[in-house]
Amino acid sequence: MMIWVRMPNRGKVPSKCQKARELFCTVRTHLGELKTKFPVDQYYRFHEHWRFVLQRLAFLAAFVVYLESESLVTREEVAQILGIEVVREKGFHLDVEDYLAGVLIMASELSRLAVNSVTAGDYSRPLRISNFINELDSGFRLLNLKNDPLRKRYDGLKYDVKKIEEVVYDLSIRGLSKELEAGGDK
């Protein structure tokens, strides 16, 4: 399930998000079937089989919630959207690392969205994305990440922050951010 959002059709974003939420029902069904295929206490024995998929699903849930409300989804909300548990002892659950990896994937997608927004003439979105990504970066800086795949993804976040800062800088150089401050949003 991939969500494509074209910026000129800004009015279609809510309908695309609704369609994505409907598709999560199918995901919940498949994850419910998967839960029954292994003993509850052997989640991590088979975790590598579905780690990548859970990270992508966490990304999709986070991206949909961001598009709807421009806020960060919690791990509990992602688990609810996917129909799985948060607590490890209950068996099939959303691991913290899988959730964080999904959030970092969303950050990369938001940097692309910032560039595409400017191309489509939406000059206020990159500023909002910049604020959001900077807050996200501040939160990740508080974590003590070891040299693992999550750390490598976090290193990618630094490049996403830089990319978005360049977009915002270009907007300010061209005077387009001043139009927004004056109330001339296009």
Side-chain angles (χ1 to χ4, degrees), residues 1 3 5 16 29 35 37 40 50 79 94 96 105 108 117 128 135-136 144 146 170 173 178:
M1 168 175 53
I3 304 167
V5 181
K16 298 290 184 187
T29 302
K35 287 184 212 178
K37 303 294 182 191
V40 173
W50 54 74
L94 180 61
V96 174
I105 295 168
S108 295
S117 297
R128 296 190 314 267
E135 287 180 27
L136 191 65
N144 183 20
K146 305 291 184 217
D170 286 347
I173 291 294
K178 291 178 184 171

Side-chain angles (χ1 to χ4, degrees), residues 3-18:
I3 304 167
W4 295 102
V5 181
R6 292 186 176 177
M7 297 314 298
N9 300 323
R10 287 181 216 146
K12 292 187 177 184
V13 172
S15 65
K16 298 290 184 187
C17 290
Q18 182 59 37

Side-chain angles (χ1 to χ4, degrees), residues 66 70 72 103-112 114 125-141 154 156-165:
Y66 179 82
E70 293 189 1
L72 180 63
V103 169
L104 288 171
I105 295 168
M106 178 194 62
S108 295
E109 191 64 27
L110 288 177
S111 70
R112 290 183 54 226
R125 186 179 294 267
L127 302 172
R128 296 190 314 267
I129 290 174
S130 176
N131 291 334
F132 179 80
I133 294 295
N134 284 328
E135 287 180 27
L136 191 65
D137 182 49
S138 297
F140 270 95
R141 277 194 225 147
Y154 168 67
L157 177 63
K158 296 172 190 174
Y159 295 108
D160 295 329
V161 169
K162 184 176 184 249
K163 184 178 180 180
I164 295 169
E165 285 175 352

Side-chain angles (χ1 to χ4, degrees), residues 73-95:
V73 68
T74 65
R75 181 174 163 226
E76 290 76 16
E77 289 172 309
V78 172
Q80 181 184 10
I81 289 169
L82 300 178
I84 57 178
E85 302 294 333
V86 177
V87 180
R88 178 181 180 174
E89 288 74 28
K90 292 187 178 180
F92 198 91
H93 64 283
L94 180 61
D95 192 58

Side-chain angles (χ1 to χ4, degrees), residues 8-33:
N9 300 323
R10 287 181 216 146
K12 292 187 177 184
V13 172
S15 65
K16 298 290 184 187
C17 290
Q18 182 59 37
K19 177 67 176 166
R21 286 196 177 267
E22 292 169 9
L23 293 173
F24 278 122
C25 293
T26 306
V27 170
R28 278 193 292 275
T29 302
H30 290 298
L31 288 176
E33 292 172 11

Side-chain angles (χ1 to χ4, degrees), residues 30-64:
H30 290 298
L31 288 176
E33 292 172 11
L34 181 61
K35 287 184 212 178
T36 64
K37 303 294 182 191
F38 63 93
V40 173
D41 60 341
Q42 294 189 11
Y43 174 84
Y44 285 104
R45 179 177 177 189
F46 302 103
H47 184 238
E48 285 301 317
H49 294 289
W50 54 74
R51 171 186 293 247
F52 178 77
V53 173
L54 278 182
Q55 290 174 356
R56 291 293 169 175
L57 289 171
F59 150 66
L60 290 170
F63 193 55
V64 167

